[in-house]
Amino acid sequence: MIGTAVVTIICLLAVFLALHRLMTMRTAGPYAHHLSASLLCFGLGKLARTPVVSDEWIDGWFHSWSGVWNVTDYSGMTLGAVGAIFLVHAVAGIFGRPFRKLLLVGSIGAVVVGMAVTFALSPVPHAPTAFMSQDFDMTGWFAIYWLIYLLCLGSSSATVAGLAGRAAAVFRPGVPRIAVASVSASGLFGSAYVAHKVVNLTVEYFNVWPWYSAHAPQISLATLACAILSGATGLLLMLGAAVGRRVGRYRLLRDRIQEWQDSHAHAPDVFLDEALIPSGSSWSLWRSTRDPVVAHRMLVELADSKA
């Protein structure tokens, strides 16, 4: 129960952080948006599969007017697969091996359509379940549904682990290396989750190792929690480094904003645009630090005014 509560809190924080980044980082590159979209999908996907809340409350309410069961399981698994695709494209782009945008759109479309069709054709929408791999036979469309999900997660996790691990090997010891290594560890834990699911499904299909099946939910939760914690650690370290650079720009602007404004008053021809000079308020200066060019422009114009 405590583990579920901790994971839920982490997922809520991840969702809020991702939404904030998507709404405020309008000038960021595509890989930053892919990373935020991945974080949002993972957070929402895990929240959709929160025990009791999803199985009893949301699924029961949804079935009362639609007649469909287990929509939260489908939503959570699909969001997890889509988040994995976004993460692969973000990591590949950040580490210098970008994929084409068409591949991103095509992969997401294929996974969403494939999982929707196989879910609808399987017996899962017609009966309630708390742990679908135990309550339904792994045959037919249900097996294909799981195959799509696990192939997507497995290939994505392995790719992220490999790309991030290779990048971490060339970093110097320090915070950036720890951050990248954390992302690689997240990919490894994701691969461990996929391996666990394959073993669990095999065990249940052949009806062996009942002790493994009995503890499968706890193992799933543990591996997912480790993957989320590792990924969150890496993202927080990267975010902390970015915030540190932004604080440095803020201090530079705060210390020299008055000099910048005075220089503009005495030599207006040197400056590009008065409207681009922030006011002296703390909030205006902090907002200006979002663009690193502002501080650089200030230093250049101050140097030109003294030439």
Side-chain angles (χ1 to χ4, degrees):
M1 190 66 181
I2 296 177
T4 301
V6 171
V7 172
T8 301
I9 293 173
I10 293 174
C11 290
L12 286 172
L13 292 175
V15 169
F16 290 140
L17 176 61
L19 289 174
H20 172 73
R21 288 174 60 85
L22 288 172
M23 290 187 295
T24 58
M25 296 180 63
R26 297 183 180 88
T27 59
Y31 305 128
H33 289 100
H34 291 167
L35 202 59
S36 299
S38 174
L39 189 63
L40 179 63
C41 289
F42 282 138
L44 290 176
K46 190 64 187 78
L47 287 174
R49 305 189 70 190
T50 304
V52 179
V53 175
S54 59
D55 299 336
E56 298 180 9
W57 299 350
I58 300 178
D59 271 340
W61 170 79
F62 193 85
H63 176 265
S64 65
W65 61 270
S66 68
V68 178
W69 286 106
N70 304 312
V71 69
T72 54
D73 283 329
Y74 162 74
S75 301
M77 294 173 73
T78 303
L79 284 169
V82 172
I85 295 173
F86 272 120
L87 182 61
V88 166
H89 281 260
V91 171
I94 291 171
F95 296 138
R97 295 178 177 271
F99 298 129
R100 297 177 61 183
K101 186 176 181 180
L102 182 62
L103 180 60
L104 171 65
V105 176
S107 300
I108 293 176
V111 167
V112 171
V113 172
M115 293 190 69
V117 171
T118 52
F119 174 80
L121 295 175
S122 72
V124 180
H126 307 297
T129 177
F131 203 68
M132 65 168 65
S133 61
Q134 292 181 349
D135 297 334
F136 298 100
D137 293 332
M138 192 56 59
T139 57
W141 291 109
F142 184 57
I144 299 175
Y145 172 80
W146 270 98
L147 179 64
I148 296 173
Y149 174 67
L150 293 178
L151 277 177
C152 183
L153 283 190
S155 59
S156 299
S157 299
T159 303
V160 168
L163 290 174
R166 182 178 179 181
V170 300
F171 271 75
R172 294 180 179 179
V175 174
R177 186 175 188 176
I178 296 174
V180 176
S182 297
V183 175
S184 179
S186 180
L188 291 175
F189 281 120
S191 300
Y193 169 78
V194 173
H196 154 67
K197 294 305 296 185
V198 171
V199 172
N200 181 47
L201 294 174
T202 304
V203 164
E204 291 176 352
Y205 183 79
F206 290 102
N207 197 24
V208 295
W209 294 357
W211 60 268
Y212 194 94
S213 298
H215 295 87
Q218 291 81 2
I219 298 174
S220 295
L221 181 62
T223 51
L224 282 176
C226 289
I228 292 171
L229 286 172
S230 300
T233 299
L235 291 176
L236 287 175
L237 288 173
M238 294 178 187
L239 182 61
V243 170
R245 291 191 295 270
R246 188 169 177 180
V247 169
R249 294 194 295 269
Y250 170 79
R251 290 175 176 173
L252 178 62
L253 287 171
R254 181 195 61 189
D255 294 341
R256 305 196 65 178
I257 185 63
Q258 189 61 48
E259 181 184 356
W260 194 11
Q261 293 172 344
D262 293 342
S263 298
H264 176 267
H266 291 92
D269 295 338
V270 175
F271 296 83
L272 297 176
D273 187 356
E274 181 181 3
L276 298 177
I277 301 177
S279 66
S281 67
S282 298
W283 177 243
S284 176
L285 294 176
W286 178 252
R287 291 188 62 185
S288 299
T289 59
R290 183 180 299 172
D291 185 359
V293 176
V294 175
H296 177 74
R297 174 175 166 262
M298 178 189 71
L299 295 177
V300 171
E301 292 182 352
L302 285 175
D304 289 344
S305 67
K306 296 176 181 179

